[in-house]
Amino acid sequence: MKHHKKHPYLEHLLKTAKPVTLDHSSRVLILNDLHMGNGGRRDEFKRNAELVKTMLGSYYLPEKYSLVLNGDVEELFKFSLDSIVAEWGELYDLFLQFKQNGFFWKTYGNHDASLLDEKRYKLASSMVTSLKFHYDHETMLLFHGHQASELLWETYPIVSRTAILFIKYVAKPLGIRNFSIAYNSPRRFAIEKSIYEFSNQAKIVSIIGHTHRPLFESLSKVDFLNYRIEELCRAYPLADTEKRAVIKQKITSLKEQLDACYKQGKKIGLRSGRYNNITIPSVFNSGCTIGKRGITAIEIEGNKIRLVYWYNGKQSRKFTSDRDNRPMELGSTGFSRIVLNEDSLDYVFSRIHLLA
């Protein structure tokens, strides 16, 4: 098959992934790209550290969620592991507590791949290269996403190891600024497209991180806003007077968000997340935990998959959800959660089998 030749390492990940069976009572939280540092000014995780600790300890742990950290948990391009553990040691203990709810797993990303050489790493027993969720007869493959880069992680594995060693022992000591796929739009799009092609050919769902761009059913935020506006415009002529007023208000809000995307982002970064004529819901990306206004994550609950957004209500701009959900404040913490999008896994896999 085509993907055997074009995506050999992704095929390898699928074959060798750690299998985990989900049922209709399963609850799983997927986070990635924490980029934990030493607590200093260059530590991007520091901004949302309190939010992460609060939502894990006060919401997901008592709600019996299992936890997957999908790569780039530590920022080892800029900081030593010892300095990270010294600053965020209590978080490691919190991560491990999720084993009591079912499981806790952590995949490797490109920024924490050197943990392969760490013999005494506290989360070593939970480390895997990739995970394979079995849902009924379907498969969800969880991996960080850097493996889709043909140059560094498929065609030239020796080069990839050399790059890690260069960054660890040359670039970091000399203070050379980190270079990341998350801020390189053409490479980011190419990686997403490669994973999208592989997922469709294998007829699976891939859940990734790496690019820091949330994707739900292979749709970028720009795609989603355009689709939602179009859907509401079609509903408008058939609605009564009261519903028309509500629809008009929703369209105005969504249009404001779309305008903000174009004002804040470079044009090249606003390429469509659709990679062919029909969008197939085979790629999900939980975004990252170092966003300036909050963090995004993916939840799987029974037969549902959802993209959620956590933020400090006093600092975040308004978010409009496709499902018209209201933000849920977590007690008196000041932190809120909102469901940005949600769908049935049965629907997702039906589209994959019918359209891929």
Side-chain angles (χ1 to χ4, degrees):
M1 293 179 68
K2 183 180 177 182
H3 65 276
H4 283 270
K5 296 180 180 180
K6 191 171 182 181
H7 307 286
Y9 198 74
L10 297 184
E11 180 68 22
H12 173 73
L13 286 179
L14 179 59
K15 287 182 178 179
T16 60
K18 170 72 177 179
V20 177
T21 300
L22 302 184
D23 58 33
H24 287 263
S25 65
S26 298
R27 287 184 164 189
V28 185
L29 170 69
I30 302 166
L31 289 175
N32 53 269
D33 292 278
L34 280 69
H35 293 278
M36 292 160 56
N38 64 359
R41 62 182 179 83
R42 294 195 303 151
D43 185 351
E44 295 179 277
F45 175 70
K46 186 178 179 180
R47 178 192 299 122
N48 292 327
E50 192 59 36
L51 171 53
V52 172
K53 286 189 285 188
T54 301
M55 69 181 223
L56 288 180
S58 300
Y59 182 76
Y60 289 109
L61 192 63
E63 289 293 324
K64 305 301 181 182
Y65 275 78
S66 294
L67 175 63
V68 175
L69 300 179
N70 201 13
D72 281 0
V73 175
E74 292 89 357
E75 179 48 83
L76 296 177
F77 282 6
K78 295 190 288 186
F79 309 101
S80 69
L81 181 60
D82 287 343
S83 68
I84 297 171
V85 174
E87 179 64 27
W88 306 113
E90 62 181 309
L91 260 179
Y92 288 88
D93 295 328
L94 181 55
F95 295 154
L96 290 169
Q97 287 185 53
F98 280 86
K99 287 185 176 182
Q100 70 191 33
N101 288 350
F103 56 83
F104 163 65
W105 295 107
K106 177 183 184 288
T107 68
Y108 295 101
N110 51 316
H111 286 242
D112 55 6
S114 60
L115 287 172
L116 286 164
D117 303 321
E118 297 289 345
K119 306 293 185 184
R120 295 176 293 177
Y121 178 51
K122 193 166 187 176
L123 305 181
S125 63
S126 299
M127 295 292 291
V128 292
T129 303
S130 56
L131 285 170
K132 184 162 45 181
F133 283 171
H134 292 302
Y135 168 78
D136 289 339
H137 299 293
E138 309 294 353
T139 299
M140 290 175 271
L141 180 65
L142 281 72
F143 61 104
H144 184 61
H146 63 287
Q147 297 94 333
S149 172
E150 293 184 11
L151 175 62
L152 289 183
W153 300 96
E154 289 184 7
T155 312
Y156 302 109
I158 295 176
V159 175
S160 70
R161 291 292 289 172
T162 303
I164 291 172
L165 293 173
F166 172 81
I167 292 165
K168 183 175 181 179
Y169 295 110
V170 179
K172 186 172 70 174
L174 292 178
I176 298 174
R177 186 176 178 182
N178 169 37
F179 48 92
S180 175
I181 185 67
Y183 306 106
N184 187 318
S185 295
R187 289 173 60 203
R188 177 176 65 180
F189 184 83
I191 281 181
E192 291 170 355
K193 183 176 180 181
S194 181
I195 295 170
Y196 181 73
E197 291 173 350
F198 165 75
S199 303
N200 292 340
Q201 289 158 3
K203 295 189 182 299
I204 64 169
V205 162
S206 289
I207 301 178
I208 63 170
H210 188 50
T211 67
H212 294 197
R213 180 166 87 144
L215 293 174
F216 192 85
E217 296 179 342
S218 307
L219 295 177
S220 69
K221 184 178 180 182
V222 171
D223 290 325
F224 167 71
L225 292 171
N226 276 312
Y227 268 88
R228 183 60 175 145
I229 289 171
E230 175 65 20
E231 186 180 39
L232 289 170
C233 285
R234 290 184 180 277
Y236 185 82
L238 304 176
D240 58 30
T241 302
E242 184 178 350
K243 288 184 178 179
R244 282 190 175 191
V246 174
I247 291 173
K248 186 175 181 181
Q249 185 179 16
K250 288 180 181 178
I251 291 175
T252 299
S253 178
L254 291 167
K255 188 174 180 300
E256 287 176 356
Q257 291 185 55
L258 187 60
D259 290 343
C261 286
Y262 281 97
K263 288 179 182 178
Q264 295 171 7
K266 295 179 181 179
K267 289 184 179 179
I268 197 169
L270 295 172
R271 293 190 193 187
S272 173
R274 292 170 292 145
Y275 311 109
N276 56 17
N277 293 332
I278 300 176
T279 304
I280 301 170
S282 61
V283 179
F284 293 74
N285 189 322
S286 42
C288 70
T289 64
I290 56 173
K292 291 183 178 179
R293 297 182 178 89
I295 73 175
T296 51
I298 282 181
E299 297 173 0
I300 296 173
E301 183 175 7
N303 68 341
K304 299 290 186 182
I305 185 168
R306 61 178 72 100
L307 177 68
V308 299
Y309 176 68
W310 283 87
Y311 62 97
N312 183 333
K314 297 178 181 178
Q315 298 176 356
S316 177
R317 61 187 172 82
K318 181 181 178 182
F319 254 87
T320 300
S321 168
D322 176 47
R323 305 299 177 184
D324 300 322
N325 290 337
R326 304 282 180 187
M328 176 207 74
E329 185 172 354
L330 183 57
S332 58
T333 64
F335 298 126
S336 297
R337 168 185 169 275
I338 187 169
V339 176
L340 298 181
N341 212 336
E342 178 182 272
D343 232 323
S344 160
L345 286 170
D346 298 320
Y347 164 80
V348 168
F349 281 107
S350 292
R351 282 186 62 89
I352 290 173
H353 288 293
L354 291 169
L355 301 175

